[in-house]
Amino acid sequence: MKAATDWKHLIRDVPDFPKPGILFKDITPILADAAAFGQVMDELEQAARPLKVQKIVAPEARGFIFAAPLAIRIGAGFVPVRKKKKLPYRTVSVSYDLEYGTDTVEMHEDAIQRGERVLILDDLLATGGTSAAIAQLVSNLGGAVVAFLFCLELTFLPGRKKLEPAKVITLHKI
């Protein structure tokens, strides 16, 4: 087992997933190593705690893995964002463009209260489309996006530009 500080070396490259030409960054080896997963959570907590947020909002599925335990650690609520028609209560939704079409994300209409300080968290920042759509949902409900937080950032893609001037924090840039 690698030392917890070596979590970045556990990121696995999976070529041609989910389609040819994509090099997928797989974080599941980090999750399988308790020490590495703990180190990532410690680093996320160090980044998030000073922001003094009331809610952490994250998309399915990998965002949930990090956001729920982080919310507990910093005393914030957790708000799941899911694909269309996956949440049981009344929702608000935003559609956004993908390279190959459009997608829609939703959250419960009562998940964010007006004026709440919100952190948007996901495992990976690539094009920024999902995170920008989530920020729109938060804004539509009257919340204030304090920052975006990611474990990994693919710097060769324009995700950061799509989210700025908001604060964008990443633990590791690739």
Side-chain angles (χ1 to χ4, degrees), residues 11 15 27 39 71 104 119 170:
I11 301 163
I27 56 137
Q39 181 65 31
T104 301
L119 172 65
T170 58

Side-chain angles (χ1 to χ4, degrees), residues 46-113:
Q46 288 172 353
R49 189 170 290 283
L51 301 172
K52 300 189 183 322
V53 297
Q54 295 157 294
K55 298 279 174 68
I56 298 177
V57 177
E60 61 179 310
R62 293 180 308 274
F64 289 9
I65 295 166
F66 296 102
L70 182 60
I72 292 167
R73 282 183 173 209
I74 69 168
F78 166 62
V79 177
V81 173
R82 302 212 51 204
K83 302 236 188 242
K84 194 172 185 175
K85 298 189 180 189
K86 296 289 185 182
L87 290 169
Y89 188 62
R90 291 188 303 266
T91 61
V92 291
S93 64
V94 168
S95 295
Y96 60 101
D97 291 328
L98 300 166
E99 299 132 80
Y100 49 87
T102 62
D103 207 352
T104 301
V105 289
E106 297 182 331
M107 73 170 57
H108 284 143
E109 68 180 12
D110 60 354
I112 304 293
Q113 304 306 309

Side-chain angles (χ1 to χ4, degrees), residues 102-146:
T102 62
D103 207 352
T104 301
V105 289
E106 297 182 331
M107 73 170 57
H108 284 143
E109 68 180 12
D110 60 354
I112 304 293
Q113 304 306 309
R114 184 159 302 287
E116 279 189 312
R117 294 174 57 83
V118 174
L119 172 65
I120 297 173
L121 184 144
D122 204 356
D123 69 320
L124 178 77
L125 173 57
T127 64
T130 302
S131 293
I134 293 169
Q136 181 71 46
L137 285 173
V138 170
S139 177
N140 289 351
L141 292 176
V145 176
V146 173

Side-chain angles (χ1 to χ4, degrees), residues 4-25:
T5 55
D6 290 332
W7 69 265
K8 296 167 190 86
H9 301 290
L10 294 173
I11 301 163
R12 176 172 40 210
D13 288 344
V14 180
D16 298 321
F17 183 83
K19 62 182 186 177
I22 302 290
L23 182 62
F24 186 82
K25 299 296 183 179

